[in-house]
């Protein structure tokens, strides 16, 4: 048995992360504070608006598969701000994604509004082994937050991939005042990563989601100091976006990808997907901004106030010849 010298193959993997900006159905959950999103509620949310949003999100996911004038279905999609199983079922089985064949897993968090995170995956490229929720401890003075979704599966030629999807507490109340809550989420991620590495020091780990922090904020610095590479640190859009989020005319990123050190050689690129249909002119500050679903309580017909992130990987393998 000899190795075919120098013959390196690779399996491509496309991983999308997207904050869906309040993907709620139109029904009231009696255990959650979601009344502004029910029929007749303060948002004037309707089934027509709901289905437009689902198809907008589906269009965005499908479009993220285009690369170098070729298209492939994204293999993995991390979604933030999704309400429940109903919206995930409608998205994967009844929207423009209905023929994509995605399966999904999601959290059931104690978040008071019912906000959760989810992972869509193509079973042809990610063989799910198991998944569970990681519940961060509730900190004094702060309401319960979103669980972290953990999923483990097989990619490429029997490579194990560990995934964590995060939606850290917001900055509402002030960035400094709420910083300890986001640092607590980072500590949970690092604890989980250390547990994975305890069994496999060379484990392939991806952590993604909306961290509600920028690259140099303490919570993200904790992740980098914990041997996670900031794979999206230099991500930009093809059409001028310099971040996934724009506030008062300034681009920055609240959405991120982190990977474990053994995966650094897998990275092809990470980009912000800023296709023109996802943005609109900014009448106040100039340039363009994400075309969101709502601006305050004014309905804008758009997809989200965040732009998607796309991480493209090549999983190296070696061919053997007898």
């Amino acid at each position: 048995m000899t190795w075919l010298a120098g013959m390196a193959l690779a399996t491509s993997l496309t991983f999308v992360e997207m904050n869906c900006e309040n993907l709620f159905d139109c029904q009231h959950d009696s255990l959650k504070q979601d009344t502004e999103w029910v029929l007749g509620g303060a948002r004037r949310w309707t089934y027509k608006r709901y289905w437009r949003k689902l198809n907008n999100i589906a269009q965005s996911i499908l479009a993220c598969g285009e690369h170098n004038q070729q298209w492939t279905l994204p293999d993995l999609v991390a979604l933030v701000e999704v309400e429940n199983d109903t919206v995930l079922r409608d998205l994967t089985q009844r929207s423009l994604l209905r023929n994509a064949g995605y399966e999904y897993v999601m959290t059931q968090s104690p978040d008071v509004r019912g906000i959760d995170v989810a992972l869509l995956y193509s079973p042809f490229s990610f063989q799910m082994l198991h998944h569970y929720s990681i519940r961060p401890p509730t900190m004094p003075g702060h309401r319960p937050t979103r669980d972290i979704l953990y999923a483990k599966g097989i990619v490429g030629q029997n490579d194990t991939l560990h995934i964590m999807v995060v939606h850290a507490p917001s900055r509402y109340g002030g960035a400094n005042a709420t910083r300890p809550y986001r640092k607590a989420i980072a500590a949970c991620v690092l604890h989980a990563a250390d547990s994975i590495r305890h069994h496999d020091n060379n484990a392939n780990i991806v952590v993604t989601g909306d961290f509600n922090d920028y690259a140099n904020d303490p919570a993200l610095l904790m992740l980098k100091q914990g041997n996670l590479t900031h794979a999206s640190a230099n991500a930009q859009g093809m059409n001028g976006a310099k971040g996934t989020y724009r506030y008062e005319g300034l681009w920055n990123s609240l959405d991120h990808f982190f990977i474990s050190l053994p995966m650094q050689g897998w990275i092809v690129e990470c980009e912000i997907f800023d296709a023109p249909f996802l943005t609109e002119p900014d009448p106040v500050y100039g340039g363009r901004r994400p075309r969101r679903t709502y601006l305050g309580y004014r309905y804008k017909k758009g997809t989200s106030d965040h732009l998607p992130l796309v991480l493209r990987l090549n999983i190296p393998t070696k061919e053997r010849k007898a």
Side-chain angles (χ1 to χ4, degrees), residues 77 149 155 239 245:
V77 184
L149 176 62
V155 295
N239 296 292
Y245 189 79

Side-chain angles (χ1 to χ4, degrees), residues 62-97:
L62 292 171
C64 284
E66 186 174 350
H67 181 56
N68 291 338
Q69 298 183 328
Q70 295 183 333
W71 180 86
T72 57
L73 182 73
D75 303 284
L76 296 156
V77 184
L79 297 178
V80 175
E81 290 197 16
V82 293
E83 184 188 15
N84 53 28
D85 184 74
T86 298
V87 301
L88 267 295
R89 186 180 65 248
D90 286 344
L91 179 65
T92 56
Q93 298 181 20
R94 302 178 67 192
S95 77
L96 294 174
L97 285 182

Side-chain angles (χ1 to χ4, degrees), residues 31 55 150 152 160 200 276 293:
L31 300 178
N55 283 317
Y150 168 79
K152 176 183 177 181
T160 301
D200 179 4
T293 307

Side-chain angles (χ1 to χ4, degrees), residues 9-14 72-73 75 125 155-156 268 312-316:
L9 303 177
T11 301
S12 63
L13 193 77
T14 301
T72 57
L73 182 73
D75 303 284
S125 49
V155 295
V268 177
R312 294 188 176 88
L313 304 169
N314 275 344
I315 306 170

